Amino acid sequence: MLLTRTGLVLLALVVAAFLALFVGLRFAFLFLIGVGFGLTLEGLRFGFAGPWKALVLRRDGRGVMAQLLAIGLTAAVALPLLAAAPGELMGAHAPVGAAMIAGAFVFGACMQIVMGCGSGTLVNAGSGNALGLLALVFFVVGSFLGTLHLAWWTDLASLPVLTLSGLLGAEGALAATLAALAAVAVIVAFRAEKGARLPQGRLFLAAGLLAGLAVLNLVVAGQPWGIVYGLGLWGAKVASAAGADLSQTAFWAAPGNAERLASSLLTDVTSLTNLGLVAGAFIAARWRRVMDPAPARPAARLVGGIVVAALLMGYASRLAFGCNVGAFFSGIATGSLHGWAWFAAAFVGSILGVRILAWLQTAPTAPARLETAR
């Protein structure tokens, strides 16, 4: 059957072969890189929102430590590559501003309510979680709506784009990034309970795989791993197909964005890795034979909270220039100061989100599956 383990792997390879033949070898590689992200995140249970929640509630720092390790390994390769090929590769660089910080705070709160960040929402949907799929739909809507108002928000108080490479040079940027990550690791270790500080073996493996895939994504795509742009583009495609004229909006009238809107999704690098990520998560969940059974009917307020939070999360991610992947992971790994500002604001917001989620989950009919965030 097509949905057997072997059948799923063969299907992914067939899709990659189709892309190679009819779109281009580069795009086939990007799809497979996305599959690798999905396999790693779902197969090795690596997430972003869940570990932040674990640190806040249970003083368990192992997941956050794994995130810091993955970012450090990526930075160790990405920063020298960016310095060596400034015209060919670009970093995840964005300005620090009032809207960006507010967006990161809102995103951090909402990702705990949705129980998944940008990548986690894709993984949840791909692994068979019905509420994860619902969240993805509203994340797409929110991300698209954020593009319509982005110009207004970015006109608020904002600094110019600042990077560690621009301030300290390539070697100084790498040293400063690794030192800052180490300092955060010390804080996490101090906060965490004894025995919940060093990642388990699977998390070490996942961190290494994610770093390798992120570097491959940078080299093949010419830009770092991201999530949000692709989701906003999906929303714009739907709106355009429904008759909306987006040529009058500042964001979609920009030459690069207008070109992507007019082109096939199969030529958009972020969309390809997003689609591959969903496929990889589906394969990993099916491989372990843990596709979600029909859950108990969730409480109405939990469903409503997820819908509202997913919509806000999508909108806020556009204002914040990315999610845990595009801003936190890739931003820090490529030396952008906005990545660090995003991290601080989103983590504070996450603390609030954990409390809101606890209130939403008080109804006894909330499905047990959703207790674990990604």
Side-chain angles (χ1 to χ4, degrees):
M1 293 179 60
L2 185 60
L3 293 183
T4 63
R5 294 174 173 180
T6 304
L8 287 170
V9 173
L10 289 176
L11 181 59
L13 293 176
V14 168
V15 172
F18 170 85
L19 291 170
L21 287 173
F22 296 101
V23 187
L25 189 60
R26 173 172 175 254
F27 300 104
F29 280 139
L30 286 168
F31 174 76
L32 290 176
I33 289 170
V35 171
F37 281 128
L39 289 172
T40 301
L41 293 170
E42 171 64 19
L44 294 174
R45 312 301 292 172
F46 186 104
F48 290 95
W52 289 19
K53 177 182 177 182
L55 181 61
V56 171
L57 289 185
R58 302 192 301 275
R59 300 173 70 96
D60 185 340
R62 292 172 292 183
V64 176
M65 287 291 200
Q67 294 173 12
L68 299 175
L69 175 61
I71 295 171
L73 292 173
T74 304
V77 181
L79 286 171
L81 282 177
L82 290 170
E88 300 176 25
L89 306 177
M90 60 181 291
H93 302 155
V96 176
M100 183 244 116
I101 293 173
F105 175 87
V106 171
F107 184 95
C110 290
M111 77 175 185
Q112 294 299 346
I113 299 169
V114 171
M115 286 160 283
C117 59
S119 61
T121 302
L122 290 171
V123 169
N124 286 338
S127 62
N129 187 308
L131 289 184
L133 180 59
L134 179 68
L136 177 58
V137 170
F138 283 92
F139 192 122
V140 168
V141 174
S143 184
F144 166 64
L145 293 177
T147 66
L148 302 182
H149 309 138
L150 183 61
W152 185 87
W153 287 107
T154 53
D155 284 341
L156 300 178
S158 179
L159 297 173
V161 176
L162 298 173
T163 67
L164 289 174
S165 297
L167 296 172
L168 305 173
E171 294 182 358
L174 178 56
T177 297
L178 296 180
L181 289 169
V184 175
V186 170
I187 295 172
V188 172
F190 180 79
R191 164 71 183 176
E193 295 282 1
K194 185 178 180 181
R197 293 168 180 160
L198 292 179
Q200 309 97 306
R202 66 174 173 83
L203 290 179
F204 272 115
L205 176 59
L209 289 173
L210 284 180
L213 289 165
V215 170
L216 279 176
N217 190 94
L218 175 63
V219 172
V220 177
Q223 64 185 49
W225 180 26
I227 299 287
V228 172
Y229 184 89
L231 301 185
L233 180 60
W234 297 359
K237 286 279 191 181
V238 173
S240 183
D245 180 10
L246 300 181
S247 63
Q248 303 305 310
T249 64
F251 187 89
W252 295 111
N257 296 331
E259 180 181 355
R260 292 185 182 92
L261 183 58
S263 302
S264 168
L265 283 180
L266 300 182
T267 61
D268 175 59
V269 297
T270 309
S271 293
L272 277 174
T273 51
N274 283 352
L275 292 171
L277 195 158
V278 172
F282 182 81
I283 293 171
R286 182 71 184 182
W287 196 274
R288 294 201 319 269
R289 303 185 188 280
V290 293
M291 299 298 289
D292 286 340
R297 178 175 295 180
R301 70 178 180 186
L302 176 62
V303 176
I306 288 174
V307 167
V308 173
L311 188 67
L312 289 174
M313 188 168 71
Y315 192 95
S317 67
R318 189 63 276 169
L319 273 56
F321 301 105
C323 61
N324 295 66
V325 170
F328 172 52
F329 187 103
S330 294
I332 291 177
T334 59
S336 179
L337 289 184
H338 102 282
W340 288 105
W342 192 100
F343 178 31
F347 196 90
V348 174
S350 189
I351 296 172
L352 173 63
V354 166
R355 271 57 181 182
I356 296 174
L357 176 62
W359 175 76
L360 291 172
Q361 288 185 317
T362 54
T365 53
R369 162 68 173 166
L370 293 178
E371 291 297 322
T372 301
R374 302 290 181 142

